[in-house]
Amino acid sequence: MFTTSKKQRPLTDQDREWHLPTDRHATQPHASGRVIRINSTYLELVDGIYPNRGMMSAAGIFGLAMVVYALGAIVYSVVFLCYLNPEWDRHDESEMLWSTIPLTFFLALFIVAIGIFNRKIGEWFRYTHYPMRFNRMVYVFRGDDTVLEVPWDDVYFTLRVNSQAFGVRTLGICGLVLKDPKTVKEMFVFGYASSSRDYCLRHWEFIRRYMEEGPQTVIDAPGLQYSLPIADKRETLYEGWVALVSRDAWNPVLKWLMLPFHVLFFVGRLVCRVTSKVPLWPADVNAACLITPGDVYLRDSSTNPVGYR
């Protein structure tokens, strides 16, 4: 679930077919609600997992609850039904211990595995989100306490298939850092995905136009009415709930059908919020991204309506 992948691979025919040139218009720009900050110096975007953060945590919490319940049942049986039971004659003590100790050990390992898995995918004990920043350089917060830094002009941009299930294909935008003209050294994935190629291209055009033509060309683009209020801070509980339900809010039927799941995912999101750190850019990145005082193109959470800052 991290933004980048260092797995080396060949540049494919699909990469070439879906290549996104930086020197030509693709369509009309759309910010797609992914902007954290925009100004004359840089554009900062959120990762694609941010809106759904908490889903995998909810599954992890459910697994932990089941394991804790099983461990509680074992402890109750051993302590109260055996050792504290005056009628127990201990004739089967060895069999009971040989059956419960390995099971307890296995359940304890399962708890550790759940924690490791959720950390590995970036949900627990990592970061609240994984931002990307553009200012002629591309800075990608990897999530392993390092930052990918690559010049904008050196990145090979293309569309990719993020996922495919039940005949529905979800497309995304990625940047490829090339080792040579035929080999991809590292890939980073943008924070927007859609089953619609046109929607992906609109988001790409928003980024491309900012980088190639300046902030004045996109400052009034659709999807930029609000900036995500997570720059250098944790989201509030309300903002976290809005991020979870916003994808289904357009459909009144789906919104109510998904409500029980959103409640469960919100509990998982709270665990992410409590266990994760706020991502902070290194000093050298901040030094390269100083904002000019009085910048008329500055948009961040401070310019949002009251209640969403």
Side-chain angles (χ1 to χ4, degrees):
M1 287 191 179
F2 292 138
T3 309
T4 69
S5 171
K6 295 183 180 180
K7 185 176 180 180
Q8 189 167 295
R9 64 172 179 83
L11 191 70
T12 66
D13 292 338
Q14 182 173 285
D15 293 332
R16 297 183 181 91
E17 180 183 353
W18 289 358
H19 176 52
L20 299 171
T22 59
D23 59 352
R24 69 183 73 162
H25 284 201
T27 181
Q28 292 301 310
H30 200 294
S32 308
R34 293 294 189 270
V35 175
I36 300 174
R37 288 182 279 209
I38 183 173
N39 49 70
S40 297
T41 306
Y42 66 86
L43 169 66
E44 186 168 316
L45 304 174
V46 77
D47 60 289
I49 305 301
Y50 172 75
N52 294 324
R53 184 149 285 121
M55 292 178 63
M56 294 304 296
S57 289
I61 292 169
F62 177 78
L64 286 177
M66 298 298 292
V67 173
V68 170
Y69 176 80
L71 285 174
I74 292 173
V75 171
Y76 177 82
S77 299
V78 172
V79 175
F80 291 97
L81 299 183
C82 294
Y83 287 102
L84 295 183
N85 182 2
E87 299 181 0
W88 185 46
D89 59 9
R90 298 199 178 195
H91 73 279
D92 57 348
E93 182 178 16
S94 61
E95 292 84 350
M96 180 270 295
L97 292 176
W98 279 111
S99 63
T100 57
I101 291 176
L103 180 59
T104 302
F105 180 73
F106 172 78
L107 292 175
L109 286 180
F110 193 66
I111 291 175
V112 174
I114 291 174
I116 292 175
F117 174 76
N118 277 278
R119 187 179 190 276
K120 185 176 179 61
I121 65 174
E123 289 266 318
W124 297 353
F125 310 110
R126 288 285 190 174
Y127 292 93
T128 54
H129 64 284
Y130 302 87
M132 305 171 63
R133 188 177 279 189
F134 303 83
N135 79 331
R136 298 316 303 175
M137 291 289 290
V138 179
Y139 303 99
V140 184
F141 203 90
R142 288 192 178 107
D144 60 357
D145 298 320
T146 65
V147 173
L148 168 65
E149 301 183 25
V150 59
W152 165 265
D153 294 327
D154 291 348
V155 181
Y156 188 98
F157 297 100
T158 184
L159 293 178
R160 69 187 292 267
V161 178
N162 280 359
S163 62
Q164 188 164 346
F166 306 107
V168 178
R169 186 173 62 178
T170 301
L171 301 177
I173 308 162
C174 68
L176 307 179
V177 182
L178 301 182
K179 179 180 179 180
D180 55 57
K182 295 182 179 181
T183 308
V184 177
K185 180 171 63 175
E186 186 168 358
M187 177 182 71
F188 61 91
V189 182
F190 285 63
Y192 179 78
S194 173
S195 59
S196 168
R197 180 187 177 96
D198 290 339
Y199 287 176
C200 287
L201 290 177
R202 291 190 69 184
H203 186 60
W204 159 250
E205 181 61 19
F206 173 80
I207 300 166
R208 189 209 67 80
R209 198 171 295 191
Y210 171 86
M211 293 295 288
E212 295 294 328
E213 302 175 21
Q216 70 279 2
T217 63
V218 297
I219 202 65
D220 296 319
L224 194 56
Q225 292 86 345
Y226 304 97
S227 300
L228 292 172
I230 55 175
D232 303 328
K233 62 181 181 180
R234 283 180 170 82
E235 64 186 15
T236 66
L237 300 184
Y238 171 71
E239 292 155 1
W241 176 255
V242 169
L244 272 176
V245 304
S246 58
R247 181 169 296 182
D248 303 318
W250 63 275
N251 188 319
V253 176
L254 186 60
K255 177 177 68 174
W256 290 107
L257 288 175
M258 288 297 296
L259 181 60
F261 297 98
H262 286 149
V263 172
L264 292 175
F265 298 159
F266 185 66
V267 174
R269 196 176 186 96
L270 292 179
V271 175
C272 296
R273 184 179 186 273
V274 170
T275 62
S276 300
K277 300 180 293 184
V278 175
L280 298 176
W281 292 102
D284 61 321
V285 175
N286 284 326
C289 298
L290 296 177
I291 304 173
T292 304
D295 187 352
V296 297
Y297 297 114
L298 173 63
R299 301 289 187 276
D300 58 19
S301 61
S302 67
T303 61
N304 285 350
V306 176
Y308 198 66
R309 294 181 178 177

